[in-house]
Amino acid sequence: MKPAAPQRILLVKLSSLGDVVHAMPAVQDLRRAYPQAQMDWVVEAAFAPLVARCQGVQRVIPCELRRWRKAPFSAATRHAWRAFKAQLQSHTYDAIIDLQGLSKSALVSWLARTTPGGKRYGLANQTDGSGFEAPARWVADVAIEIEPHVHAVQRSRILCAAALGYDLQGPALAGLHAGSLAAAAPPQNAASGNSFAPKKPLVALVHGTSRADKEWPQAAWVALGQRLNHAGFAVALAHGNTSEKATSEAIAAQLQDAWVWPAMALDAMTDTLAQCAGVVGVDSGVSHMAVALDLPHVQIYNFDTAWRTGPEVLAGTDAATAPRLPLRQISVFGQPQPTVDAVWEAWESLATPVLCR
């Protein structure tokens, strides 16, 4: 039996960047099932600008657990914690859904206040490749068992649907929308010295990732960038820290038409990424943002884990009687890493609206 329609829902997904993006389609499912409900989201402050871009989220409640635990007894931490707790508890919720399944998310769920008939929902088990800690199950009023071998996007969608009693419908749509904070490309990215000439379509290369074993060789990025330049694309190079910026500059120095992006907050990064004709990137949060923006995208994997975090294959059909449609997004796996030829072949197979040959 479907429970009474909730009027206010709290989602708890604190980090990391890719995990936050993977939770966004669950928000769109909730919007369809309960269009009248207000949805709030607790997230690490670093990712709050991105969550504010997710359609259907009325209130973003930022926290800084990562920073607070470094100095838990300092006056600054105590003051910030009290302010966060007051904001968290300023409303009561008919449903509090812990999408993360860790002790820190369980703590936030426990601190949040429910309405008299409200419940806390959470994961009952670990799924393949994802973290899980027992307190998450203890805190939940209703702990929901999830099939262990499941895509990260589907895990959140299934949990919310089971918690609030609706059926999943249609493909996963993130509802991530761009705003007006995009960085302006430098004039040299124009198709010629003529300022009235249209700019070349831009392909972003996302080489940075939190793990060295997920990286693609710098020489491979240079070779790919040269092919893109030859095909008529300008190349943009994203970065998130000083080391990644140095890599971007080293790659750009060997390309004919490249733009190293300035340092940007996540909202500006979202807006700038949205203006690209496509993206090629490793398994990273920014690459998952490209998927959420529905950009033509090739995602590079050195491990066979694309089934869990990579673009979900939605286009086309395997039926022998019907033609297979081109994909907008695809993953490429190889060991020790995919070849440049394999990544280029994947790029050329995409249903990109911009083909400069």
Side-chain angles (χ1 to χ4, degrees), residues 47-136:
F47 309 124
L50 183 70
V51 174
R53 289 280 197 271
C54 182
Q55 295 177 1
V57 177
Q58 276 77 29
R59 189 170 71 123
V60 181
I61 305 173
C63 69
E64 295 188 89
L65 291 177
R66 289 177 171 179
R67 184 171 67 87
W68 294 338
R69 67 188 179 192
K70 294 178 182 177
F73 304 112
S74 70
T77 297
R78 294 199 304 272
H79 176 75
W81 174 257
R82 286 194 297 269
F84 163 68
K85 188 176 175 181
Q87 187 179 10
L88 178 66
Q89 297 179 340
S90 62
H91 296 289
T92 57
Y93 295 94
D94 301 308
I96 299 170
I97 307 177
D98 177 4
L99 298 174
Q100 195 144 19
L102 299 178
S103 298
K104 61 183 181 180
S105 57
L107 172 62
V108 172
S109 298
W110 177 73
L111 285 172
R113 298 164 56 223
T114 60
T115 57
K119 293 185 183 297
R120 294 177 176 84
Y121 301 90
L123 296 160
N125 62 296
Q126 183 173 9
T127 56
D128 294 343
S130 298
F132 180 77
E133 294 171 350

Side-chain angles (χ1 to χ4, degrees), residues 17-26 151-154 156 288 308-310:
L17 177 55
D19 293 338
V20 169
V21 173
H22 287 147
M24 289 181 176
H151 193 282
V153 169
Q154 294 303 322
S156 293
H288 300 313
R308 180 169 57 85
T309 58

Side-chain angles (χ1 to χ4, degrees), residues 186-200:
Q188 60 265 33
N189 279 329
S192 71
N194 183 354
S195 61
F196 294 98
K199 291 184 178 180
K200 295 179 183 179

Side-chain angles (χ1 to χ4, degrees), residues 25-51:
V27 175
Q28 310 316 310
D29 295 337
L30 288 163
R31 288 177 68 203
R32 281 191 295 268
Y34 298 107
Q36 82 295 336
Q38 172 165 326
M39 279 181 283
D40 299 345
W41 187 328
V42 186
V43 68
E44 279 282 343
F47 309 124
L50 183 70
V51 174

Side-chain angles (χ1 to χ4, degrees), residues 3-355:
Q7 297 302 306
R8 192 181 287 269
I9 300 167
L10 179 67
L11 302 175
V12 182
K13 186 76 166 185
L14 305 175
S15 59
S16 58
L17 177 55
D19 293 338
V20 169
V21 173
H22 287 147
M24 289 181 176
V27 175
Q28 310 316 310
D29 295 337
L30 288 163
R31 288 177 68 203
R32 281 191 295 268
Y34 298 107
Q36 82 295 336
Q38 172 165 326
M39 279 181 283
D40 299 345
W41 187 328
V42 186
V43 68
E44 279 282 343
F47 309 124
L50 183 70
V51 174
R53 289 280 197 271
C54 182
Q55 295 177 1
V57 177
Q58 276 77 29
R59 189 170 71 123
V60 181
I61 305 173
C63 69
E64 295 188 89
L65 291 177
R66 289 177 171 179
R67 184 171 67 87
W68 294 338
R69 67 188 179 192
K70 294 178 182 177
F73 304 112
S74 70
T77 297
R78 294 199 304 272
H79 176 75
W81 174 257
R82 286 194 297 269
F84 163 68
K85 188 176 175 181
Q87 187 179 10
L88 178 66
Q89 297 179 340
S90 62
H91 296 289
T92 57
Y93 295 94
D94 301 308
I96 299 170
I97 307 177
D98 177 4
L99 298 174
Q100 195 144 19
L102 299 178
S103 298
K104 61 183 181 180
S105 57
L107 172 62
V108 172
S109 298
W110 177 73
L111 285 172
R113 298 164 56 223
T114 60
T115 57
K119 293 185 183 297
R120 294 177 176 84
Y121 301 90
L123 296 160
N125 62 296
Q126 183 173 9
T127 56
D128 294 343
S130 298
F132 180 77
E133 294 171 350
R137 183 166 187 164
W138 301 336
V139 167
D141 299 311
V142 180
I144 294 166
E145 193 88 17
I146 304 290
E147 165 63 37
H149 194 79
V150 64
H151 193 282
V153 169
Q154 294 303 322
R155 182 174 76 157
S156 293
R157 295 184 75 195
I158 292 167
L159 175 57
C160 290
L164 297 185
Y166 58 85
D167 295 325
L168 292 179
Q169 297 180 2
L173 302 175
L176 182 62
H177 64 89
S180 57
L181 300 179
Q188 60 265 33
N189 279 329
S192 71
N194 183 354
S195 61
F196 294 98
K199 291 184 178 180
K200 295 179 183 179
L202 196 65
V203 176
L205 303 184
V206 180
H207 58 80
T209 179
S210 59
R211 283 172 40 188
D213 57 1
K214 290 184 178 182
E215 294 175 353
W216 206 39
Q218 184 173 308
W221 286 115
V222 171
L224 178 66
Q226 290 171 341
R227 291 193 188 189
L228 287 166
N229 282 169
H230 182 72
F233 294 95
V235 168
L237 291 148
H239 56 86
N241 54 48
T242 302
S243 175
E244 290 178 8
K245 182 180 180 182
T247 300
S248 290
E249 291 171 341
I251 295 169
Q254 300 178 72
L255 301 180
Q256 182 181 3
D257 197 345
W259 171 29
V260 177
W261 280 348
M264 288 183 272
L266 276 178
D267 45 5
M269 175 74 77
T270 302
D271 301 350
T272 308
L273 200 65
Q275 295 192 356
C276 293
V279 179
V280 180
V282 293
D283 175 18
S284 71
V286 178
S287 287
H288 300 313
M289 286 166 57
V291 175
L293 288 166
D294 195 32
L295 295 171
H297 177 50
V298 176
Q299 200 162 112
I300 298 169
Y301 281 83
N302 301 338
F303 300 93
D304 191 12
T305 53
W307 65 267
R308 180 169 57 85
T309 58
E312 294 186 278
V313 178
L314 301 174
T317 176
D318 291 327
T321 57
R324 183 170 180 82
L325 300 175
L327 301 171
R328 279 184 68 76
Q329 298 155 349
I330 193 170
S331 60
V332 179
F333 163 63
Q335 287 186 321
Q337 58 270 138
T339 64
V340 175
D341 285 341
V343 173
W344 183 251
E345 182 181 351
W347 168 257
E348 290 205 308
S349 74
L350 295 182
T352 170
V354 180
L355 294 174

